Amino acid sequence: MGEDTGTERSETQTAIMEATYRALCEHGYADLTMQAIADEFSKSKSLIHYHYDTKEELLVAFLDYLLDGFLAKVEETNDGDDPRERLDTLVDILLSGPEESEDFQIAMLELRSQAPYVEAYREAFAANDQHLVGLLADTVAAGVESGVFRDVDPERVAETILVMIDGARSRSVLFGSGDTVAHTRRAIDGYVRSHLVADEE
Amino acid sequence: MGEDTGTERSETQTAIMEATYRALCEHGYADLTMQAIADEFSKSKSLIHYHYDTKEELLVAFLDYLLDGFLAKVEETNDGDDPRERLDTLVDILLSGPEESEDFQIAMLELRSQAPYVEAYREAFAANDQHLVGLLADTVAAGVESGVFRDVDPERVAETILVMIDGARSRSVLFGSGDTVAHTRRAIDGYVRSHLVADEE
């Protein structure tokens, strides 16, 4: 839970990750090939093969790269030590995602749906998720500790928040309704107020 | 919203739908072919082609068949007119699903992830979803009307409940944790109590 933060990545590896992002936007997951990634990469295709033997291996590295991007964003907006503010920030970043194109979100939903069939993806998604559960749960635990939150189960609260975030994101990709994310943001807020916050109803 | 209830389906068509269910469990969506469905069907393959020109058309009919199965189950357990009990029943059925194998849930997640790429799937998923939103919202509206629920926006509440159900189901398929669904059931219960029920906290 957290041991995979800040993977060292060479300039070349980062460029490959950026090419993978563009190739996923362009082709989706099912039609993604090493060639499609090479087409988005300014250097030689053999460099991609040098770093990653298979598409699977490359995509596992890509999931790790996404997590690091998310963590960097969390780091950036580290707005103090108030657990409730911090929880709000985490939810905002997780729910809206980085500036992702819709095509990318569609490709990620597809990649996620392949996880039950591909052990390496499943493990990578699970590791990322455990990291996010940990971040949220630590924040909730800090709030319980300091008395701003009731004596709730931090991991359980983290899970419920992630259930709502995953549901909102997949529905908004599937049904293309921009309102779902905004409505869910308010529903999470209501959940935090009614379930967590110690001195409000 | 509801015009597609109780599609007339011949015995042959129903047998094709049952074969499709088994073929999806066996092969997943990506490897599903008309031949794979024919292999699960006791009659001639040409009968399948007589009814459904393409795999797409067949799967759209299959999504309609799933909705009908869900509605029949709701009908069966129609346990009176109390809106809160009725809402509980709907949530229970939606969240636990029919007695579906894990393989089937994996295949459905995969089919869902293809919806952004295939208009016919997208429309079928959206039509089913609108039907469920309608069912939940009507129940909430009845509760607001009778005073057991506060003056909430029924469609908004329906959407939030479906966000939680979708999130829980996809996480439970992806991470294989049996607890997610049970925890989410309790979180929805908490949401209903704190957000909807008029006379409780």
Side-chain angles (χ1 to χ4, degrees):
Chain A
M1 217 189 268
E3 69 280 9
D4 51 358
T5 324
T7 306
E8 289 287 345
R9 214 169 272 115
S10 68
E11 222 171 282
T12 301
Q13 283 172 313
T14 302
I16 295 172
M17 294 298 108
E18 289 164 357
T20 303
Y21 179 93
R22 290 190 294 271
L24 276 168
C25 292
E26 181 77 19
H27 302 279
Y29 168 74
D31 297 330
L32 185 76
T33 57
M34 292 295 249
Q35 185 55 54
I37 296 167
D39 290 345
E40 302 287 339
F41 183 54
S42 60
K43 296 179 198 164
S44 134
K45 185 181 172 187
S46 63
L47 258 179
I48 301 181
H49 285 290
Y50 172 81
H51 285 287
Y52 308 102
D53 279 338
T54 61
K55 179 175 124 174
E56 253 178 47
E57 202 182 300
L58 193 155
L59 284 168
V60 166
F62 184 71
L63 289 172
D64 197 44
Y65 164 78
L66 290 182
L67 178 65
D68 284 347
F70 167 78
L71 295 177
K73 190 152 179 175
V74 169
E75 203 73 17
E76 239 170 64
T77 49
N78 194 341
D79 48 11
D81 290 329
D82 179 51
R84 192 172 170 185
E85 271 178 39
R86 179 132 185 91
L87 188 62
D88 273 344
T89 303
L90 289 173
V91 169
D92 282 337
I93 300 177
L94 281 167
L95 193 55
S96 62
E99 308 75 29
E100 283 168 356
S101 76
E102 202 190 322
D103 286 340
F104 181 69
Q105 292 182 41
I106 291 172
M108 287 306 292
L109 196 67
E110 206 185 352
L111 179 55
R112 216 175 138 107
S113 82
Q114 291 307 303
Y117 298 108
V118 183
E119 194 180 354
Y121 296 164
R122 197 164 60 240
E123 284 173 1
F125 275 109
N128 279 13
D129 192 69
Q130 274 310 303
H131 205 104
L132 303 182
V133 168
L135 268 181
L136 289 166
D138 286 350
T139 306
V140 173
V144 172
E145 184 77 16
S146 73
V148 294
F149 293 150
R150 292 187 199 143
D151 188 20
V152 294
D153 177 338
E155 297 246 341
R156 186 77 82 82
V157 168
E159 185 192 23
T160 296
I161 290 175
L162 285 169
V163 159
M164 295 177 86
I165 288 170
D166 284 352
R169 294 192 62 147
S170 81
R171 286 178 69 84
S172 103
V173 172
L174 186 55
F175 302 126
S177 156
D179 289 343
T180 309
V181 164
H183 291 171
T184 302
R185 185 65 191 87
R186 268 177 268 168
I188 293 175
D189 217 45
Y191 169 71
V192 168
R193 257 184 289 117
S194 66
H195 188 70
L196 260 72
V197 175
D199 56 337
E200 290 178 53
E201 197 217 286
Chain B
M1 216 187 269
E3 69 280 7
D4 51 357
T5 325
T7 308
E8 289 286 344
R9 212 171 272 116
S10 67
E11 219 170 284
T12 301
Q13 283 172 312
T14 301
I16 295 172
M17 295 297 107
E18 290 165 356
T20 303
Y21 178 95
R22 288 190 296 272
L24 276 168
C25 292
E26 182 77 19
H27 302 279
Y29 168 74
D31 297 331
L32 186 75
T33 57
M34 291 297 248
Q35 186 55 52
I37 297 168
D39 290 344
E40 301 288 338
F41 183 54
S42 60
K43 295 179 198 164
S44 135
K45 184 182 173 188
S46 64
L47 256 178
I48 300 181
H49 285 288
Y50 173 80
H51 285 286
Y52 308 102
D53 278 338
T54 60
K55 179 176 123 172
E56 254 178 46
E57 200 182 303
L58 192 155
L59 283 168
V60 166
F62 184 71
L63 289 172
D64 196 46
Y65 164 79
L66 289 182
L67 178 65
D68 284 347
F70 166 78
L71 295 177
K73 190 150 178 178
V74 169
E75 202 72 20
E76 239 171 61
T77 48
N78 194 342
D79 48 9
D81 291 327
D82 179 51
R84 191 170 170 188
E85 271 179 37
R86 180 134 185 89
L87 188 61
D88 274 343
T89 303
L90 288 173
V91 170
D92 283 337
I93 300 177
L94 281 166
L95 193 56
S96 62
E99 308 75 28
E100 283 168 355
S101 75
E102 202 190 321
D103 285 340
F104 182 68
Q105 291 182 41
I106 291 171
M108 286 306 292
L109 196 68
E110 207 184 352
L111 179 56
R112 218 174 136 106
S113 83
Q114 291 307 302
Y117 299 108
V118 183
E119 193 180 356
Y121 297 163
R122 197 163 60 239
E123 284 174 1
F125 274 109
N128 280 15
D129 192 68
Q130 274 310 303
H131 205 105
L132 302 183
V133 168
L135 267 181
L136 288 166
D138 287 351
T139 305
V140 173
V144 172
E145 183 76 19
S146 73
V148 293
F149 292 150
R150 290 186 201 144
D151 188 21
V152 293
D153 178 337
E155 297 247 341
R156 187 76 83 84
V157 169
E159 186 192 22
T160 296
I161 290 174
L162 285 169
V163 159
M164 295 177 86
I165 288 170
D166 284 352
R169 294 192 63 146
S170 81
R171 287 178 67 85
S172 103
V173 171
L174 186 54
F175 302 124
S177 154
D179 288 343
T180 309
V181 164
H183 291 170
T184 302
R185 184 64 191 89
R186 268 178 267 168
I188 293 175
D189 217 45
Y191 170 71
V192 168
R193 257 185 288 115
S194 65
H195 189 71
L196 261 73
V197 175
D199 54 336
E200 291 178 54
E201 197 220 287

